[in-house]
Amino acid sequence: MRIGFLSSVSGTAEAFFVDWFSLWAQQGHRVFVAAKGEWAHPDADFTPIDSLSQAPAMRNVRAIRAIRAWARSNALEVIVTNTATASLLARCWPPPAPVVYFCHGLHYTERSRRSVAALLERLAAHPRLTRAAICMNSFDEAEFARLGVHTLRLAAGVGLRLDRYAVVPPPSDAPPHTLLWVGTLTERKRPADAIEVTRLLLDRGHDVELYLLGAGPLEDTLRRSIEARGLTERIHLVGRCDPRPFLARGAVLVHTAAWEGLCRVLLEAVAVGLPAVGYDVKGVRDVAFVDACTEPGDVERLADRVVLSLGHRDHRLIGEPGWADYRQSLDWSAPADAVLRFLERVITGDTTHGFIGPDHR
């Protein structure tokens, strides 16, 4: 197959799909990547489209023609498009090849089906614009089915390189117990809730400390909040970094996002055996062995569940029935192969609904 892969910025493809491209190339397929940015990987040809951007911008209008020219010049048989801006541009006009929308997460939830994002997805779901979709959570799967779009659901998302996530025993050091939060410091991720959970636990007499891993627009606000509460010795703004060393020595991962596509750091936590708690929202409730326990903003309930998870730190997740098999299902090669077979079905016109990836809930 001649597979086109379109993304708003090249960094997305580099971060999540390079292993896929190598596997597909080994099987004799050609991959053609288009995005804004640069490319250094030999297993996929690259075309820069400077009029693309991660956030919507007026210059994106010029990208529509560039995307069509890229598809025609490379005689693409199918186009896989991901990231919101690039995906909408590829699907706002009948494309020269079937488009499969790789949806990391629809930008609306059960509570916002009347939003602009939901309206645009309904318009883009026309069969002349979207031949099929790939999604990663049960809400998006049901939403695409409601829109009449043939869908593959990847229960493990793009998967993990499991050799990079060694299973680690629980830390043997004495308290304080390490709580982790990992993500972008934005309103949707709600990092302030993790700070409030930590304060509640300290007020209840639990010896804990919190490490916030990530960067974003809320960083200064959070720092002032930590200082105002007198918690600078207990709550640490680490910045953007590799989370694996922290996952290895953590006691509980606290996840506070209002919604996710499929939260990768939760998969990473499960892979190393680290207990995790979060809100009962899309993209979180679909990850097995994660305690998705309450509505966004209910920090009291979230703190209660953290305490319960701390009580199981002697064995982490390693002793949970079914955990070892679920961990193995997170390997990246399974979704890479499933997507390749799915694209073959799309090209041949097989649009049977309900073909999804394995679900281990």
Side-chain angles (χ1 to χ4, degrees):
M1 287 186 291
R2 298 176 69 85
I3 304 167
F5 192 92
L6 176 69
S7 188
S8 297
V9 293
S10 58
T12 303
E14 288 181 314
F16 300 116
F17 296 103
V18 170
D19 287 334
W20 291 28
F21 300 158
S22 298
L23 181 64
W24 295 351
Q26 291 171 15
Q27 298 181 24
H29 303 285
R30 290 283 302 277
V31 180
F32 302 84
V33 176
K36 179 179 176 60
E38 300 179 348
W39 191 256
H41 302 279
D43 293 318
D45 296 274
F46 182 70
T47 299
I49 301 181
D50 291 335
S51 48
L52 284 170
S53 60
Q54 200 151 18
M58 288 299 297
R59 70 175 182 274
N60 295 153
V61 175
R62 300 196 303 273
I64 298 173
R65 179 174 294 181
I67 292 168
R68 295 173 66 80
W70 162 72
R72 289 197 178 100
S73 65
N74 291 299
L76 299 181
E77 296 177 82
V78 64
I79 299 170
V80 180
T81 179
N82 79 121
T83 65
T85 301
S87 296
L88 186 60
L89 292 169
R91 298 180 297 141
C92 68
W93 197 267
V99 170
V100 176
Y101 177 24
F102 194 113
C103 179
H104 293 274
L106 290 170
H107 283 226
Y108 62 94
T109 66
E110 299 92 333
R111 299 180 177 182
S112 54
R113 280 199 173 100
R114 295 185 179 181
S115 65
V116 173
L119 173 61
L120 291 174
E121 285 300 339
R122 286 197 294 272
L123 294 174
H126 189 283
R128 292 187 65 195
L129 305 177
T130 304
R131 186 67 59 88
I134 299 166
C135 68
M136 301 190 293
N137 65 67
S138 55
F139 172 85
D140 289 354
E141 179 191 0
E143 197 68 8
F144 281 121
R146 192 172 69 86
L147 296 172
V149 178
H150 176 48
T151 307
L152 169 70
R153 176 175 159 217
L154 302 176
V158 299
L160 304 174
R161 288 286 298 268
L162 289 178
D163 58 333
R164 299 176 181 172
Y165 297 91
V167 179
V168 293
S172 58
D173 56 333
H177 303 307
T178 299
L179 308 182
L180 300 179
W181 185 97
V182 183
T184 308
L185 303 177
T186 61
E187 293 289 348
R188 178 172 69 86
K189 298 288 190 174
R190 303 179 67 103
D193 289 10
I195 293 174
E196 186 63 14
V197 165
T198 305
R199 185 195 65 79
L200 286 170
L201 293 177
L202 289 169
D203 287 349
R204 296 178 189 177
H206 297 284
D207 194 359
V208 298
E209 60 183 350
L210 171 67
Y211 287 81
L212 289 153
L213 279 58
L218 293 182
E219 184 171 350
D220 290 341
T221 300
L222 295 170
R223 181 173 287 106
R224 288 193 296 268
S225 175
I226 293 167
E227 292 172 354
R229 287 170 165 79
L231 295 175
T232 54
E233 298 298 318
R234 290 290 184 162
I235 300 179
H236 314 281
L237 281 168
V238 179
R240 186 179 288 112
C241 64
D242 185 347
R244 287 175 293 178
F246 292 88
L247 294 173
R249 68 173 187 261
V252 181
L253 176 69
V254 182
H255 194 71
T256 55
W259 63 268
E260 296 281 7
L262 186 70
C263 182
R264 185 174 180 84
V265 74
L266 290 178
L267 297 176
E268 293 172 342
V270 172
V272 303
L274 177 66
V277 300
Y279 292 134
D280 184 17
V281 295
K282 83 166 190 170
V284 174
R285 67 171 67 101
D286 294 295
V287 182
F289 299 98
V290 171
D291 186 2
C293 58
T294 189
E295 294 294 312
D298 187 355
V299 293
E300 292 273 359
R301 173 74 168 166
L302 201 61
D304 291 341
R305 304 304 293 190
V306 170
V307 172
L308 287 177
S309 292
L310 287 173
H312 295 290
R313 66 188 298 274
D314 57 332
H315 61 75
R316 289 196 162 196
L317 297 177
I318 299 170
E320 295 292 329
W323 171 79
D325 289 340
Y326 180 73
R327 180 185 186 276
Q328 193 58 42
S329 77
L330 301 179
D331 183 76
W332 66 274
S333 60
D337 185 67
V339 168
L340 190 64
R341 304 284 83 79
F342 186 69
L343 297 181
E344 291 174 342
R345 290 161 59 94
V346 169
I347 290 174
T348 60
D350 184 348
T351 54
T352 305
H353 291 279
F355 177 67
I356 67 172
D359 190 349
H360 295 267
R361 286 295 286 174

